[in-house]
């Protein structure tokens, strides 16, 4: 792509670094911004800058939050004895939308994936295991996507908790194998939490 402007070329390059955005789309977006009032671009860049510099992670569940303890963890009506283990904030949002879960979450920040060089130490597994060993948690519900990485992660955590009294369960698979949680419809996802099954049973299947 030949550019008559270095400024435009740089902007297109940066925009095209985002996932799913090729050079052509990046060019279209950059030209769109040039046609809009200047403050629209200022709002965009300021929102992105603030997102990066001010975002916090909840000290208890590691979910993205604007404050030290997220709204869910700070809510005394939530049941702290049941923890739903998820990959990221999208899963928390999907499960919250079902309105079927009154426990707490633990956001791992990803799944164990040797292919992508993600090991247990790159996730918040240590903090989860610590939380359970401190006591007060009676059940962990694994709600990771049903992929090889999701299964590996569940099993790793399950092994780490051997010898503790915590009950482990996994969401029932109304969700097809390989599906990502965020794409499941609310009714299916809500039902799969209510109909969760003991984790040991899920391994035999
Ligand atoms: Zn939290």
């Amino acid at each position: 792509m030949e550019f008559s402007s270095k400024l435009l070329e740089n902007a297109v390059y940066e925009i095209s670094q985002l996932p799913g955005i090729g050079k052509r789309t990046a060019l279209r977006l950059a030209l769109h911004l040039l046609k809009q009032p200047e403050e629209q671009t200022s709002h965009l860049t300021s929102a992105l800058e603030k997102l990066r510099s001010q975002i916090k992670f909840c000290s208890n569940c590691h979910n993205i939050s604007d404050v030290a303890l997220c709204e869910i963890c700070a809510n005394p009506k939530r049941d702290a004895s049941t923890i739903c283990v998820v990959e990221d904030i999208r899963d928390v949002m999907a499960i919250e939308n079902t309105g079927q879960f009154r426990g707490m979450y633990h956001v791992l920040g990803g799944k164990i994936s040797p292919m992508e060089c993600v090991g247990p130490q790159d996730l918040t597994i240590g903090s989860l295991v610590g939380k359970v060993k401190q006591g007060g948690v009676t059940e962990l519900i694994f709600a990771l996507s049903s992929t090889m990485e999701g299964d590996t992660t569940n099993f790793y955590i399950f092994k780490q908790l051997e010898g503790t009294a915590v009950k482990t369960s996994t969401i029932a698979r109304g969700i097809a194998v390989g599906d990502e949680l965020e794409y499941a419809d609310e009714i299916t996802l809500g039902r799969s939490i209510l109909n969760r099954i003991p984790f040991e049973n899920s391994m035999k299947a």
Side-chain angles (χ1 to χ4, degrees):
M1 226 178 241
E2 284 296 319
F3 289 90
S4 57
S5 156
K6 196 79 191 154
L7 292 172
L8 179 62
E9 185 176 358
N10 286 345
V12 167
Y13 172 77
E14 293 301 338
I15 298 171
S16 71
Q17 297 303 298
L18 295 168
I21 305 222
K23 278 263 165 72
R24 271 166 192 283
T25 306
L27 177 59
R28 189 163 55 81
L29 293 173
L31 293 177
H32 170 81
L33 287 173
L34 282 178
K35 279 194 207 134
Q36 301 301 309
E38 207 172 323
E39 62 265 26
Q40 193 176 329
T41 309
S42 312
H43 292 156
L44 173 65
T45 52
S46 139
L48 293 175
E49 258 163 20
K50 281 195 187 134
L51 175 72
R52 282 303 294 174
S53 63
Q54 298 179 15
I55 204 86
K56 293 184 183 68
F57 292 90
C58 172
S59 57
N60 184 52
C61 72
H62 306 278
N63 197 14
I64 291 175
S65 167
D66 291 345
V67 286
L69 196 65
C70 80
E71 253 175 52
I72 296 172
C73 290
N75 182 350
K77 292 197 187 118
R78 304 288 301 221
D79 170 15
S81 70
T82 306
I83 297 180
C84 185
V85 182
V86 296
E87 185 181 343
D88 68 26
I89 187 169
R90 292 172 297 178
D91 306 326
V92 174
M93 289 162 80
I95 295 171
E96 282 298 284
N97 278 339
T98 69
Q100 298 289 352
F101 182 65
R102 300 305 299 158
M104 304 280 212
Y105 295 93
H106 188 94
V107 179
L108 292 176
K111 287 171 287 198
I112 295 173
S113 168
M115 292 281 282
E116 288 168 37
C117 298
V118 180
Q121 71 287 348
D122 300 313
L123 308 171
T124 64
I125 292 176
S127 136
L128 174 63
V129 172
K131 220 182 319 187
V132 172
K133 287 189 173 164
Q134 259 174 29
V137 180
T138 52
E139 184 180 1
L140 280 192
I141 304 170
F142 294 124
L144 300 182
S145 51
S146 183
T147 55
M148 173 96 98
E149 288 86 3
D151 292 346
T152 305
T153 311
N154 290 341
F155 188 66
Y156 179 86
I157 297 171
F158 175 74
K159 291 302 269 183
Q160 295 286 304
L161 292 171
E162 257 174 1
T164 70
V166 74
K167 198 168 103 191
T168 46
S169 57
T170 183
I171 58 172
R173 292 295 168 187
I175 299 170
V177 170
D179 269 6
E180 297 290 337
L181 273 193
E182 57 170 324
Y183 301 123
D185 72 82
E186 284 165 23
I187 296 168
T188 310
L189 183 56
R191 216 177 272 149
S192 68
I193 292 168
L194 293 179
N195 299 334
R196 58 188 182 268
I197 52 172
F199 182 68
E200 293 92 319
N201 296 8
S202 80
M203 287 189 293
K204 282 173 212 145

